[in-house]
Amino acid sequence: MAPVSVFSASDIELGFHAFSDPLRLQVLELLKQRELCVCELCAALEVPQSKLSFHLKALKTANLVKSYQEGRWTYYSLNLNQFLRLEQYLAEFRRYGDIVPARRCDDDL
Amino acid sequence: MAPVSVFSASDIELGFHAFSDPLRLQVLELLKQRELCVCELCAALEVPQSKLSFHLKALKTANLVKSYQEGRWTYYSLNLNQFLRLEQYLAEFRRYGDIVPARRCDDDL
DNA sequence: GTAGCATATCAATATAAATTGATGAGTAAA
DNA sequence: TTTACTCATCAATTTATATTGATATGCTAC
């Protein structure tokens, strides 16, 4: 099996999984503009708080967002480093340049 | 809600979802090197054919791979355009540069 | 034609992820 | 020091995805 360069598979998987849900995408879009607390996100997206909390946890686990608490509020923001890592993972595929055609599958070695 | 630039949400979602599975990642890694037919992938990954077929379909639906048939064989290869699209989607987030701190959530407008 | 191979699809099941409503922990204002 | 508020977590349920084994389709060599 081909070695997977510097990326840990599960790390990448987690990251992309976090991107594969409409609500989580909306959250990320909102955080693009600026840091927001949970109650602001909740209001903007019109979803129950426990639902949002679930998805924020997914984003956090995937390292796509960071958060800190201040008084009663918890503020979330993008962790752009991780965005860059995923971007680089994708970019690696293109570095190989054009597609090498298959050897006919029944050819000898 | 913030407009989502030129990307259709479901398109992006599908693409990232396809990336969020270990077997699909392995398939992509193998196709990085060159075009392969299903039976080659099957042998390399040591998975049942119907399982592989299921995941190839997911990759195809997400536009990450293309395929063509030749005789009895079906050859798969990366669709690098779609990789680029996903990369660009991620890159957009970083274009905003540094994180704007939150307004205190209980401040007046 | 018929036999064998490559692949896709299907129905049944198993597994994983998301949703809901309720509860609990921490904070701070009254 | 009680009350209200923000948020995370939990158990129960629903929904979505993946896996399996079997079967169907289409191609080709015989």
Side-chain angles (χ1 to χ4, degrees):
Chain A
M1 203 143 321
V4 185
S5 70
V6 296
F7 300 101
S8 117
S10 55
D11 198 21
I12 295 297
E13 249 173 82
L14 259 180
F16 287 134
H17 173 255
F19 266 105
S20 68
D21 172 275
L23 183 55
R24 290 194 290 263
L25 287 183
Q26 286 183 291
V27 168
L28 294 175
E29 291 291 338
L30 288 170
L31 295 179
K32 213 177 192 176
Q33 329 287 332
R34 64 179 179 85
E35 228 176 61
L36 292 168
C37 74
V38 176
C39 61
E40 287 172 310
L41 286 167
C42 230
L45 296 168
E46 297 180 291
V47 291
Q49 180 266 319
S50 68
K51 182 172 178 173
L52 183 57
S53 210
F54 171 84
H55 289 287
L56 286 173
K57 190 177 185 178
L59 289 169
K60 189 108 188 262
T61 303
N63 250 296
L64 294 176
V65 301
K66 8 181 205 189
S67 66
Y68 63 94
Q69 196 182 340
E70 193 177 301
R72 290 188 284 190
W73 294 279
T74 303
Y75 293 92
Y76 281 85
S77 59
L78 300 183
N79 178 17
L80 293 175
N81 283 344
Q82 188 65 7
F83 281 67
L84 182 55
R85 279 174 52 75
L86 294 177
E87 235 179 292
Q88 285 169 339
Y89 176 80
L90 292 179
E92 284 261 318
F93 285 90
R94 292 192 302 114
R95 291 208 324 154
Y96 281 70
D98 289 335
I99 302 297
V100 180
R103 278 198 275 91
R104 290 315 98 202
C105 155
D106 53 350
D107 285 354
D108 296 339
L109 300 178
Chain B
M1 202 142 324
V4 186
S5 70
V6 296
F7 299 101
S8 119
S10 54
D11 198 21
I12 295 296
E13 248 173 84
L14 258 181
F16 287 134
H17 173 256
F19 267 106
S20 68
D21 172 273
L23 183 56
R24 290 194 291 262
L25 287 183
Q26 287 184 291
V27 168
L28 295 174
E29 291 289 339
L30 288 171
L31 294 179
K32 212 179 195 178
Q33 330 287 332
R34 65 180 180 86
E35 230 176 58
L36 292 168
C37 74
V38 177
C39 62
E40 287 172 310
L41 286 167
C42 231
L45 297 168
E46 299 181 288
V47 290
Q49 181 267 320
S50 69
K51 181 173 179 174
L52 183 56
S53 211
F54 172 84
H55 288 287
L56 286 172
K57 190 176 185 180
L59 290 169
K60 189 109 190 261
T61 303
N63 251 296
L64 295 177
V65 302
K66 10 180 203 188
S67 66
Y68 63 94
Q69 196 182 340
E70 194 178 301
R72 290 188 284 188
W73 294 278
T74 303
Y75 293 92
Y76 281 85
S77 59
L78 301 183
N79 178 16
L80 292 175
N81 284 343
Q82 188 65 8
F83 281 67
L84 181 56
R85 279 175 51 76
L86 294 177
E87 235 178 290
Q88 285 170 339
Y89 176 80
L90 292 179
E92 284 261 318
F93 286 90
R94 292 190 302 116
R95 290 207 326 154
Y96 281 70
D98 288 335
I99 302 298
V100 180
R103 280 198 272 89
R104 289 316 97 201
C105 153
D106 51 352
D107 286 354
D108 296 338
L109 299 179

